[in-house]
Amino acid sequence: MKRREFGKIGLLAGAGAFTGCSTPPDGTSGTFSAAMDFYQEPARKLPTREFDVVVAGGGTAGVVAATAAARTGAKTALIEAKGYPGGTVTEGGTAIHSYYNLWKAFPGVGKRQVVRGIPSELIDRMLLLGATTGHAEMERGFDYDSVCTALDTELYKLVAFEMLAEAGVFVAVNTMAAGAVTEGKTVRGVIVESRSGREVFLGRSFVDCTAYGDLAAHAGAEFTVPGDYDSCNSVGLGNVDMDDYYAFLNEHDAVGQLARGLRSGKPGQIVRLSGRDVNLPDEFREEAGKIGMSTTTTTTYDNYLMFVKFNYKVEGSVVNRDDMAKAELVLRQRQIRGLELFRKFLPGCRNAFIARTSPSVNIRRGRLITCDYDITHEDVVEARHFADEVFVYGFHDSAPALQVKDGGTYGIPYRALCVRGIDNLFVSGMMITSDHRAHMSTRNTVSSMAQGQAAGTAAALCASGDMGSRDLPYGKLRDRLEKDGVYFES
Ligand SMILES: Cc1cc2nc3c(=O)[nH]c(=O)nc-3n(C[C@H](O)[C@H](O)[C@H](O)COP(=O)(O)OP(=O)(O)OC[C@H]3O[C@@H](n4cnc5c(N)ncnc54)[C@H](O)[C@@H]3O)c2cc1C
């Protein structure tokens, strides 16, 4: 289309939309390049709102970060692209890993809850609603999980929402963090987009919990996109019988992982189960392999397999819209093929249906943001502790092959959450730790939540003292974290 034609259509559309409006619609006064390969937007005045702390991304880490910041006294905003808080906890993982050290693989080592504070409070609230399996100990596959804590993901969204409201957080859902306003090495605001228009949320300290590192990237942080994991869209299968499914696996000596806990309000029920593929029918195994299906599931209800995962290696980049559009389609096609497999081969699943899918593809890692410290594989497996640590953690996804030494813990240093080269920006969640093996520990949900508590608290303290992230005295942060229930080993 030639430039003149395009301009004409734009004007016509603009004239139609303008009827009855007091202000002209956006885009009527910009200009196109001669080759029509870009459009220069007109300058616009954006309304501002002022906060002490702005958290971008209301998922696993962001819910806790915003709650912690608000409870520390900061006027806090949380920006979440979807209509609810919760993130990958409610969409991707089978169970949340882990509040405990991996003690079972180490005779003589005691079980201890090493992540406490706000992440623990979330589970206590879920327990009151009967919306979690509780901390169910693994009977099989124990060296991997030790404890399986699964949640009713729909109620989790509500509990997280209520917790944010009680803390006084300004929660902007259905709102994208779409840009950053910076001044030298300082972030001044987040440009947000919603149906209420384009605005700037000004702040003194910022926390990026978007998983993709959107805010940090907009603010000019250094990053890479490792592309080292499969992406996933999981389904919840309804109208199944967990006990029949278990009986079938047992009969074929195919039970992989097993845990019992609270299910539909009854204790001692099977809440985590996986099939050892080796003993399942060939057709099932081969087809499951082709569609990246994992039979590991958890449940909080009798007739529900809450998570059946379908994996796909994105061709291209997880931060490219078009590559991800293909992933969205492929994964939905895989889910239907997976449902057929469950119906055909697994007793208890003959009349299953897809009761839930993730609203969009879940990534295991997007942008990796460069921070002042990069946690290494050795830090994790050697159980290293740091003078500036903000919590301790003991779980590793690759156990038993990779474990924290002697069933202990390692520390997460404050520096690992401070974005290199930017004075007042923190990150939390899957965006930290470049080493793939170390990331198999730090990326887990309970670690992401604890990172959120540390970053949100630090952001609030920095805002109240009008200081950058590197000027915050560690003692002040540590005192506050301990007061708020965070557990340290020394
Ligand atoms: C398939 C899968 C299975 C997993 N299994 C487990 C498991 O069994 N156990 C376990 O402990 N861990 C598991 N993990 C890992 C763990 O779930 C994640 O690493 C962790 O939840 C990441 O938390 P996060 O806060 O970084 O991201 P998220 O929880 O994804 O939060 C990011 C939030 O930011 C929002 N957002 C993104 N961009 C923007 C933007 N520009 N503006 C506004 N909002 C934005 C998103 O909507 C989302 O709510 C799994 C991960 C995946 C993907």
Side-chain angles (χ1 to χ4, degrees):
M1 187 185 290
K2 293 200 180 76
R3 186 182 176 206
R4 266 197 16 233
E5 288 168 34
F6 196 98
K8 207 163 130 197
I9 289 168
L11 279 174
L12 281 174
F18 188 49
T19 313
C21 295
S22 55
T23 51
D26 291 340
T28 51
S29 57
T31 51
F32 291 98
S33 65
M36 294 292 290
D37 54 352
F38 70 83
Y39 173 72
Q40 178 69 55
E41 281 189 283
R44 280 192 275 170
K45 285 185 182 163
L46 305 184
T48 59
R49 284 172 182 266
E50 210 164 335
F51 300 94
D52 298 321
V53 173
V54 180
V55 179
T60 317
V63 164
V64 182
T67 303
R71 288 184 184 176
T72 309
K75 186 180 175 193
T76 304
L78 177 66
I79 304 158
E80 168 52 44
K82 295 182 184 128
Y84 55 87
T88 306
V89 164
T90 65
E91 299 162 11
T94 49
I96 62 173
H97 296 150
S98 170
Y99 291 88
Y100 292 85
N101 59 326
L102 284 169
W103 81 99
K104 280 198 173 174
F106 299 91
V109 172
K111 170 185 176 183
R112 56 193 192 281
Q113 185 177 345
V114 299
V115 177
R116 303 181 189 178
I118 298 174
S120 196
E121 189 185 323
L122 272 161
I123 295 303
D124 293 344
R125 286 179 174 229
M126 295 292 288
L127 265 173
L128 286 176
L129 296 174
T132 167
T133 56
H135 300 303
E137 282 192 23
M138 297 295 291
E139 289 173 27
R140 294 203 199 164
F142 62 80
D143 41 4
Y144 165 70
D145 267 335
S146 288
V147 172
C148 160
T149 312
L151 309 170
D152 176 326
T153 55
E154 296 310 314
L155 281 175
Y156 185 81
K157 294 171 188 173
L158 176 64
V159 166
F161 227 143
E162 287 182 342
M163 196 154 108
L164 290 161
E166 284 164 25
V169 176
F170 177 83
V171 184
V173 284
N174 298 312
T175 302
M176 277 294 280
V181 179
T182 57
E183 202 174 87
K185 292 176 167 182
T186 306
V187 183
R188 291 290 178 215
V190 182
I191 299 174
V192 302
E193 297 261 15
S194 72
R195 277 175 208 97
S196 295
R198 198 166 153 94
E199 301 160 86
V200 179
F201 285 9
L202 296 168
R204 292 164 184 270
S205 297
F206 297 82
V207 190
D208 186 343
C209 298
T210 60
Y212 287 86
D214 285 355
L215 175 59
H218 285 305
E222 294 165 36
F223 66 84
T224 56
V225 185
D228 53 346
Y229 289 98
D230 286 353
S231 293
C232 175
N233 192 322
S234 67
V235 299
L237 295 183
N239 205 17
V240 300
D241 189 311
M242 192 71 159
D243 298 322
D244 281 0
Y245 177 30
Y246 168 70
F248 169 80
L249 292 177
N250 206 21
E251 207 176 288
H252 289 77
D253 190 22
V255 178
Q257 296 177 21
L258 178 67
R260 288 173 216 265
L262 270 179
R263 194 181 83 196
S264 290
K266 297 182 292 283
Q269 308 301 306
I270 293 169
V271 293
R272 184 178 181 110
L273 197 56
S274 74
R276 275 196 301 128
D277 292 354
V278 69
N279 291 347
L280 292 172
D282 286 349
E283 189 186 335
F284 182 94
R285 275 192 303 112
E286 281 159 22
E287 187 63 8
K290 281 185 206 154
I291 58 177
M293 185 174 90
S294 152
T295 57
T296 307
T297 191
T298 49
T299 190
T300 47
Y301 297 105
D302 290 343
N303 53 1
Y304 190 39
L305 301 187
M306 201 160 59
F307 283 105
V308 176
K309 284 184 255 185
F310 294 85
N311 291 307
Y312 171 69
K313 181 90 179 126
V314 172
E315 293 166 18
S317 166
V318 296
V319 291
N320 178 286
R321 182 198 58 198
D322 302 338
D323 296 340
M324 289 304 271
K326 181 173 177 197
E328 298 280 2
L329 172 62
V330 169
L331 281 165
R332 287 191 184 275
Q333 290 166 333
R334 289 184 173 194
Q335 289 169 343
I336 292 298
R337 286 164 65 189
L339 174 66
E340 282 162 10
L341 284 182
F342 265 82
R343 282 178 174 167
K344 184 168 172 189
F345 288 103
L346 300 181
C349 305
R350 298 267 186 257
N351 297 312
F353 68 95
I354 293 180
R356 177 200 67 81
T357 64
S358 305
S360 54
V361 169
N362 293 117
I363 55 162
R364 291 181 167 87
R365 166 130 82 169
R367 293 189 187 89
L368 161 69
I369 307 299
T370 308
C371 292
D372 285 358
Y373 186 79
D374 192 22
I375 296 166
T376 66
H377 171 59
E378 288 70 30
D379 292 340
V380 172
V381 296
E382 295 299 325
R384 288 184 186 152
H385 287 267
F386 300 88
D388 65 341
E389 66 194 22
V390 285
F391 69 98
V392 300
Y393 194 58
F395 178 77
H396 201 300
D397 249 340
S398 305
L402 301 175
Q403 301 253 39
V404 182
K405 191 174 167 184
D406 299 334
T409 63
Y410 63 96
I412 302 279
Y414 174 62
R415 290 161 290 159
L417 309 179
C418 297
V419 176
R420 188 198 281 175
I422 301 184
D423 287 340
N424 60 343
L425 179 60
F426 300 90
V427 282
S428 297
M430 67 172 80
M431 284 174 278
I432 72 162
T433 316
S434 69
D435 182 316
H436 182 82
R437 292 169 299 174
H439 192 256
M440 292 293 283
S441 176
T442 63
R443 78 186 183 102
N444 281 281
T445 45
V446 178
S447 167
S448 296
M449 290 176 181
Q451 291 171 44
Q453 180 162 2
T457 306
L461 293 175
C462 288
S464 74
D466 207 13
M467 55 187 141
S469 52
R470 289 163 195 88
D471 304 319
L472 177 64
Y474 172 67
K476 195 169 175 180
L477 175 59
R478 168 98 181 222
D479 285 352
R480 180 70 207 207
L481 291 172
E482 280 184 311
K483 186 165 161 274
D484 292 340
V486 176
Y487 170 78
F488 292 89
E489 300 217 292
S490 61

